[in-house]
Amino acid sequence: MAELREVQITEEKPLLPGQTPEVAKTHSVETPYGSVSFTVYGTPKPKRPAILTYHDVGLNYKSCFQPLFQFADMQEIIQNFVRVHVDAPGMEEGAPVFPLGYQYPSLDQLADMIPCILQYLNFSTIIGIGVGAGAYVLSRYALTGLTSSISEMILGHLFSQEELSGNSELIQKYRNIIAHAPNLDNIELYWNSYNNRRDLNFVRGGDTTLKCPVMLVVGDQAPHEDAVVECNSKLDPTQTSFLKMADSGGQPQLTQPGKLTEAFKYFLQGMGYMASSCMTRLSRSRTASLTSAASIDGNRSRSRTLSQSSESGTLSSGPPGHTMEVSC
């Protein structure tokens, strides 16, 4: 999405006692149906949606919403959310007159412009405020938003909000891969199947549980960290290794392949494979500490917990009380 212009303006409204003027930025992006302008107030708040407004016919964002957002009781709200005020094409202040014969976008097409705005701003969720025609546009967006912003919704599933906000090369790479995938319609079908999945209904100690060795891995910044922790609590601790990987987000196989490889080797060794394998990715400054607790009550049971950090990796395994340092 190409940025056409960015202008800093100061919001024109009377200030409350102790309040400082709010700086806004006006942007314009190209969409499949022409350019659209919008003005952003505030800064994004972690794990909070943006408030997005869309005005009615005959108005622009200022004439439609300024009295509301100037209201004293509204200040507590706007201090906690970034706001995006969209002007319908040609409705922004100072807009030139469209040439004779210009085909104005339909309301459905105006709704399809919204994902372009959100992608440009790197926003995944919004709270919409619309009036009249603007309410229709936002309603249409809410009905078709899954198709229009499928790539952003999948990115929100794959990566944490912190990762998306950082917009690293990795995020840009996968955003481009998903957004321009030739089989995007097929991806949407897979996404729909995932969202309609049934609960596995694991019960620790019950009949519905995994009876094979399991290694659960989750990044400490992953969007589904809590779900993986809950899953671990429902599995048999004598068969389950749990790894919460530091400095990692939703895709540790992409961001921390070295640490994950080490953990997987330990997991395989715990199953009796690759006993002589060398942990080649351990740096000189890091060690792997192996400990375990074992109990004998008819059958030998063991509980394993894996924990990785940027300096060290620890994995429960091996005989009781045995500590081994590995440096390769």
Side-chain angles (χ1 to χ4, degrees), residues 69-83:
F69 283 90
Q70 287 180 353
F71 192 68
D73 290 348
M74 178 63 81
Q75 304 313 303
E76 183 180 2
I77 295 176
I78 67 176
Q79 289 172 5
N80 288 280
F81 293 90
V82 61
R83 286 103 61 216

Side-chain angles (χ1 to χ4, degrees), residues 156-160 194 197 218-219 221-229 250:
H157 165 75
L158 296 175
F159 301 100
S160 67
Y194 170 77
R197 68 194 182 281
V218 66
Q221 301 173 22
H224 306 297
E225 176 188 354
D226 292 342
V228 179
V229 171

Side-chain angles (χ1 to χ4, degrees), residues 200-212 234-236:
L200 291 171
N201 293 314
F202 287 143
V203 178
R204 175 172 287 185
D207 293 332
T208 307
T209 189
L210 298 177
K211 296 177 172 59
C212 59
K234 296 180 178 180
L235 295 178
D236 183 353

Side-chain angles (χ1 to χ4, degrees), residues 176-255:
N176 183 66
I177 288 174
I178 296 172
H180 297 95
N183 62 336
L184 189 58
D185 290 342
N186 297 348
I187 292 175
E188 181 183 351
L189 295 176
Y190 191 12
W191 173 249
N192 290 338
S193 292
Y194 170 77
N195 285 321
N196 291 321
R197 68 194 182 281
R198 292 180 296 141
D199 196 298
L200 291 171
N201 293 314
F202 287 143
V203 178
R204 175 172 287 185
D207 293 332
T208 307
T209 189
L210 298 177
K211 296 177 172 59
C212 59
V214 177
M215 183 174 76
L216 292 176
V217 181
V218 66
D220 64 348
Q221 301 173 22
H224 306 297
E225 176 188 354
D226 292 342
V228 179
V229 171
E230 181 183 2
C231 180
N232 178 61
S233 71
K234 296 180 178 180
L235 295 178
D236 183 353
T238 69
Q239 293 286 344
T240 305
S241 300
F242 176 58
L243 168 62
K244 181 183 285 188
M245 189 173 291
D247 305 319
S248 181
Q251 302 294 307
Q253 79 280 7
L254 301 178
T255 58

Side-chain angles (χ1 to χ4, degrees), residues 258-313:
K259 291 181 181 180
L260 187 55
T261 298
E262 293 170 7
F264 189 45
K265 284 183 179 180
Y266 281 127
F267 179 68
L268 292 174
Q269 287 179 338
M271 296 174 65
Y273 304 109
M274 300 178 63
S276 61
S277 176
C278 180
M279 301 298 121
T280 56
R281 288 190 178 272
L282 283 171
S283 67
R284 295 180 181 178
S285 63
R286 288 192 292 159
T287 61
S289 176
L290 288 78
T291 61
S292 72
S295 62
I296 300 177
D297 183 13
N299 295 321
R300 183 177 182 179
S301 66
R302 55 180 181 166
S303 177
R304 297 173 294 184
T305 301
L306 290 72
S307 176
Q308 290 273 2
S309 70
S310 57
E311 292 82 22
S312 65

Side-chain angles (χ1 to χ4, degrees), residues 129-140:
I129 302 178
V131 176
Y136 180 95
V137 170
L138 292 181
S139 298
R140 176 57 63 183

